[in-house]
Amino acid sequence: TNGSMILADLGAETIKVEPCYGEGTRKLLATDPKNSLDGMGAYYITLNRNKKSVAVDLKTAQGLELFKSLVTEVDIVISNFGAGVPERLGIDYSSLCEVNPRIITCTVSGFGSDGPGSKRPAFDQVAQAMGGGMSITGPDSKHMVRAGIPIGDLGGGMFGVMGILAALYERERSGFGQHVDISMLDCQISMLNYMATMHFLSGEDPYPIGNSHFVHVPYNTFTCSDGFVVIAVITDNFWQNLKEVVRCPEFDNAKYDFQPGRWEEREIINSTLNKVLSGNTCQHWLTELEAKRIPCAPVNTLSDALADPQVLHRNMVVDLKHPNGSSTKGPGNPIKLSRSKDEKFTAAPELGQHTDEIMTQLLNLSVEQIEQMKRKGIIK
């Protein structure tokens, strides 16, 4: 769902095909008074913006035939069914390429389409745990923590978009579509990146070190009188500039002028910095640090982050509408293109809101044919 949201935000005409009783995220938070808008929960209203809804019962022969007719008119089919479900429904790549050889399909599943674990069910935290990322997140090795952002789910969607765009580009050369097989576990392994290579070189398993860094010092979260700031000293020059800001006699030690010495005395440096910084406000220290070009940041709450002037300037907070005209706000599109600047965010659709439109305009069905299928419960 996140991957199709990204494509829709980029301007792809996106048709959400769901069962006549509606797909699962429609109900999430839908009745929560704090996290819903006129019967639409935060999940649904965010992830389904810029999409059209067509309700079809794929378990009927006529519904499946209708879906395949849609496939002849589109470029991409994305699904996030469990392993084996697309095959059982007859909507997997091998089935759909027979009706449209140019079709590109994409599935995002927990473990991919093959291998000894491919049939296992998975959700975000399962992927985070199996992918190793949880083992290096948290204050120490006894308190491992998942990422607060659902990177298992979101990573699958983002890598899915990359695969789809690569397949579209390849199709320009070959003339044929192909299947994009995304495993949430694969994505988590990929995001270990250079840390995986470090493991193979050293033979060691890293462990959680809180907000500190395994090379740079000081690189951590520090306490001010009214909150927390992050300071990232990654060069010796930054250290010299930091000394001018904090004016701490304990730091006038030649041993600290270079990274090895700072790393050796990291606990002393971090605790001393905490004492000094706690004597004034976050804004005071951020102003001083920024003046010396030292990488730093406040540890923002969501309300702070979503009100940041840079975030607002980049149109990263946008109106999310309900079909009835009411609206709330949500995150914008982080992909900014130099020519295609027209960002639009239409309302997440009601169930089957665009069924008639798609059936008449895309498939050229008559009103009588559509009404007949509605009476049989094939579409809604």
Side-chain angles (χ1 to χ4, degrees):
T1 304
N2 175 64
S4 57
M5 182 201 76
I6 295 169
L7 291 170
D9 284 355
L10 290 171
E13 182 178 0
T14 306
I15 303 168
K16 181 182 183 67
V17 180
E18 52 187 317
C20 294
Y21 50 81
E23 57 91 1
T25 64
R26 283 187 175 274
K27 296 178 181 178
L28 290 176
L29 302 175
T31 58
D32 185 327
K34 289 185 178 180
N35 294 295
S36 64
L37 178 68
D38 295 343
M40 282 188 178
Y43 281 83
Y44 185 79
I45 202 168
T46 305
L47 293 167
N48 292 287
R49 65 204 192 186
N50 290 329
K51 298 179 184 178
K52 296 178 178 180
S53 171
V54 170
V56 181
D57 185 354
L58 295 180
K59 293 181 180 180
T60 65
Q62 197 170 355
L64 180 59
E65 198 60 37
L66 201 61
F67 179 79
K68 288 186 175 180
S69 296
L70 287 172
V71 169
T72 65
E73 302 296 327
V74 301
D75 296 290
I76 305 157
V77 174
I78 306 175
S79 70
N80 64 344
F81 292 114
V85 176
E87 288 80 5
R88 288 201 301 272
L89 290 173
I91 58 170
D92 57 305
Y93 175 72
S94 62
S95 300
L96 299 185
C97 71
E98 291 180 3
V99 298
N100 181 359
R102 290 176 59 82
I103 198 67
I104 292 164
T105 60
C106 175
T107 57
V108 179
S109 61
F111 302 101
S113 64
D114 54 9
S118 62
K119 303 299 183 185
R120 294 183 57 181
F123 293 96
D124 173 75
Q125 193 162 340
V126 173
Q128 288 199 38
M130 288 196 68
M134 274 184 67
S135 76
I136 54 173
T137 306
D140 55 57
S141 57
K142 293 182 179 179
H143 302 89
M144 295 170 182
V145 179
R146 71 172 177 86
I149 293 170
I151 58 169
D153 285 340
L154 299 179
M158 290 187 285
F159 277 96
V161 170
M162 296 179 213
I164 288 166
L165 295 179
L168 280 170
Y169 188 73
E170 192 279 338
R171 192 179 70 177
E172 293 301 305
R173 300 182 180 185
S174 69
F176 294 99
Q178 59 184 306
H179 179 57
V180 179
D181 175 14
I182 300 295
S183 153
M184 290 164 61
L185 177 60
D186 291 355
C187 297
Q188 295 303 295
I189 296 295
S190 172
M191 287 191 281
L192 295 177
N193 204 271
Y194 61 83
M195 296 194 76
T197 309
M198 291 171 63
H199 160 72
F200 285 118
L201 288 169
S202 68
E204 298 173 354
D205 278 320
Y207 53 86
I209 54 175
N211 295 325
S212 63
H213 198 278
F214 54 87
V215 173
H216 304 302
V217 178
Y219 187 117
N220 215 322
T221 304
F222 298 95
T223 305
C224 301
S225 62
D226 61 347
F228 303 92
V229 296
V230 166
I231 298 175
V233 170
I234 59 173
T235 70
D236 295 330
N237 287 337
F238 285 152
W239 170 252
Q240 296 301 328
N241 290 345
L242 179 64
K243 285 170 59 177
E244 293 181 26
V245 170
V246 297
R247 298 183 180 89
C248 179
E250 291 94 324
F251 290 164
D252 292 328
N253 183 337
K255 182 179 181 179
Y256 298 165
D257 288 346
F258 301 98
Q259 182 273 338
R262 294 198 300 276
W263 175 254
E264 187 178 334
E265 303 291 344
R266 58 191 178 279
E267 291 186 11
I268 294 173
I269 290 174
N270 285 336
S271 62
T272 303
L273 258 182
N274 267 321
K275 289 177 185 176
V276 173
L277 297 177
S278 63
N280 217 319
T281 65
C282 289
Q283 191 53 59
H284 167 82
W285 292 117
L286 289 168
T287 300
E288 295 284 317
L289 292 163
E290 288 172 8
K292 290 291 184 179
R293 303 284 297 167
I294 298 168
C296 61
V299 179
N300 279 337
T301 61
L302 263 66
S303 55
D304 292 331
L306 295 170
D308 185 274
Q310 179 67 16
V311 171
L312 298 178
H313 174 81
R314 298 280 294 177
N315 199 35
M316 284 308 300
V317 175
V318 300
D319 288 329
L320 297 181
K321 298 180 179 65
H322 190 284
N324 68 13
S326 59
S327 69
T328 183
K329 291 188 181 295
N333 178 9
I335 302 170
K336 308 298 183 184
L337 303 175
S338 64
R339 277 194 302 106
S340 308
K341 292 184 177 182
D342 188 20
E343 295 185 335
K344 294 180 180 178
F345 300 93
T346 60
E350 298 280 14
L351 176 60
Q353 181 178 334
H354 303 92
T355 299
D356 287 13
E357 173 190 325
I358 298 301
M359 296 300 153
T360 55
Q361 295 183 10
L362 204 61
L363 300 185
N364 296 315
L365 297 182
S366 68
V367 172
E368 185 177 305
Q369 288 174 304
I370 293 170
E371 291 304 317
Q372 186 182 39
M373 285 189 289
K374 285 181 183 177
R375 287 193 295 270
K376 291 181 179 179
I378 295 165
I379 62 174
K380 181 177 180 179

